[in-house]
Amino acid sequence: MKKILVTGGLGFIGSHTVVELQNKGFEVVIIDDLSNTTLSVLDNIADITGTKPEFHQIDLRIKSDVNNFFKNNKVDGIIHFAAFKAVGESVQNPLDYYENNIGSLVYILQEMRDRNIDNFIFSSSCTVYGQADELPITENAPVKKAESTYGNTKQIGEEIIQETCKAHGLNAIALRYFNPIGAHESIKIGELPIGVPQNLIPYVTQTAAGIRKELSVFGDDYNTTDGTAVRDYIHVVDLAKAHIAALQRLLEKNNKEKFEYFNVGTGTGSSVLEVIKAFEKAAKKSLNYKIVGRREGDITAAYADTTIANKELNWQTEKSLEEALASAWKWQQQQNK
């Protein structure tokens, strides 16, 4: 049984990936500092899978703690989620984002180098493309100057990994996510933002639940069909399964390069207003929203060409936008009980 370390494994995408790993028979060890989640997620993972993963509360910014973990734990591969992830916040607090997102990555890669650990999956982002010249976005699209500090940490992260692969023979895959949403069908795990949500869907569900007075739609003057920004929304379980496919590619040595990267989305773009309408239909509930000015760091449109990921990872999405929104609403209702 292969033992896989999942950093940020109690977070939104991390927890769903842990479930899929355990369902596939992997032994999982989680590192999380609990800065954007709660320990209860660990029990909920155990409820779903029947197995409680090993857990270590570690702040990956503390090099000695990272070193101590690897000194005492042998793993066969790493899926690295742990990072700050809010675009707007990153523009306001750039140094915190560089310290957390870059520092922790370097410390982990140093341990992998020193202990000959192979197989690294990096949680990257479509923000590395900035505002792409052509849509849908392929892996051949140029990596442009980042629109936000968050996006820049993902660009720099990929560069660091690529150079590490070249210098030290590491095998790594960066998965460039589009917009993960939804919740596990058990409704035991889902997106659990602490404080005011920075992402659209939890703000939508919290507004529908009456926690937020109204949803702000940032800008209606974009060059899109209805003027609101367009994104590619992927069900988090589909995204989690892409990590398993990527990991198996490395474990089975099917990778064609030491460092590879894939777009992970649905291939369909939906505007903010289209998402609101789809949510209202799925939840059978009208949403209170208002149009406000654009938000710094946001781009007009981004959706994926997933052809390469479909072929090389033998993976594709299975769940629709409506299914994802319905599960997000069920998850929100569960939180309100």
Side-chain angles (χ1 to χ4, degrees):
M1 187 188 284
K2 298 285 187 188
K3 189 173 188 179
I4 306 302
L5 167 63
V6 182
T7 72
L10 296 185
F12 176 40
I13 308 166
S15 60
H16 287 82
T17 302
V18 169
V19 166
E20 297 303 322
L21 283 167
Q22 290 190 321
N23 286 345
K24 286 286 185 184
F26 290 97
E27 184 182 352
V28 178
V29 54
I30 294 171
I31 285 177
D32 204 300
D33 67 357
L34 302 180
S35 64
N36 198 34
T37 187
T38 64
L39 197 53
S40 62
V41 176
L42 193 64
D43 292 325
N44 295 339
I45 290 170
D47 286 347
I48 295 168
T49 64
T51 304
K52 192 169 189 173
E54 185 184 329
F55 171 70
H56 299 261
Q57 185 174 347
I58 295 172
D59 184 338
L60 294 170
R61 291 172 292 189
I62 302 171
K63 187 172 184 177
S64 57
D65 289 356
V66 177
N67 178 257
N68 283 335
F69 171 83
F70 281 97
K71 210 182 282 181
N72 297 305
N73 293 273
K74 188 178 181 307
V75 297
D76 298 296
I78 299 172
I79 303 180
H80 182 49
F81 292 106
F84 294 155
K85 61 175 187 173
V87 169
E89 181 185 66
S90 76
V91 175
Q92 294 162 350
N93 302 311
L95 293 176
D96 292 349
Y97 271 68
Y98 287 122
E99 178 193 34
N100 190 55
N101 294 10
I102 303 301
S104 61
L105 171 65
V106 170
Y107 296 158
I108 288 169
L109 291 174
Q110 286 172 333
E111 294 295 334
M112 294 184 75
R113 173 199 64 194
D114 295 347
R115 299 171 199 283
N116 295 314
I117 301 168
D118 210 348
N119 309 315
F120 186 73
I121 309 292
F122 180 58
S123 168
S124 192
S125 167
C126 65
T127 55
V128 301
Y129 298 114
Q131 180 56 68
D133 298 323
E134 294 178 15
L135 294 168
I137 300 170
T138 72
E139 284 83 352
N140 295 323
V143 170
K144 293 186 168 185
K145 178 170 171 54
E147 300 275 339
S148 67
T149 304
Y150 166 74
N152 202 29
T153 65
K154 294 304 182 183
Q155 289 182 0
I156 295 167
E158 284 195 16
E159 288 169 9
I160 291 168
I161 296 162
Q162 189 165 13
E163 289 168 18
T164 304
C165 290
K166 193 174 176 184
H168 303 295
L170 178 74
N171 287 299
I173 292 175
L175 296 180
R176 294 174 174 173
Y177 314 159
F178 282 69
N179 294 66
I181 62 170
H184 192 266
E185 62 185 3
S186 66
I187 314 298
K188 290 184 182 293
I189 54 173
E191 193 164 7
L192 196 63
I194 291 174
V196 179
Q198 300 285 335
N199 296 335
L200 175 63
I201 303 308
Y203 214 110
V204 164
T205 60
Q206 288 191 11
T207 303
I211 298 166
R212 308 285 161 199
K213 187 179 157 206
E214 63 186 357
L215 169 71
S216 293
V217 175
F218 296 105
D220 65 347
D221 56 351
Y222 287 105
N223 185 22
T224 61
T225 52
D226 59 23
T228 62
V230 168
R231 298 289 182 270
D232 184 337
Y233 296 94
I234 177 172
H235 196 298
V236 66
V237 173
D238 283 334
L239 176 57
K241 288 176 178 175
H243 290 79
I244 315 307
L247 179 65
Q248 287 174 325
R249 180 178 175 87
L250 294 183
L251 291 172
E252 292 162 13
K253 307 206 178 308
N254 290 329
N255 50 313
K256 294 174 180 173
E257 307 281 346
K258 287 286 182 188
F259 175 71
E260 297 180 319
Y261 48 90
F262 300 102
N263 288 343
V264 186
T266 65
T268 301
S270 303
S271 75
V272 176
L273 289 180
E274 285 171 339
V275 169
I276 288 171
K277 284 172 191 157
F279 175 82
E280 288 177 332
K281 187 178 174 187
K284 298 181 176 59
K285 195 174 179 67
S286 64
L287 204 62
N288 189 25
Y289 67 90
K290 69 172 179 182
I291 309 292
V292 298
R294 294 188 187 191
R295 182 173 56 180
E296 190 178 0
D298 280 346
I299 58 172
T300 301
Y303 54 95
D305 183 321
T306 61
T307 307
I308 294 176
N310 297 155
K311 179 172 177 282
E312 294 295 329
L313 298 178
N314 193 25
W315 163 90
Q316 58 190 34
T317 56
E318 297 169 7
K319 297 179 184 293
S320 68
L321 175 65
E322 288 71 21
E323 285 177 277
L325 292 170
S327 67
W329 177 232
K330 278 184 191 166
W331 165 252
Q332 182 66 60
Q333 290 174 301
Q334 176 82 358
Q335 303 316 299
N336 295 348
K337 285 179 181 174

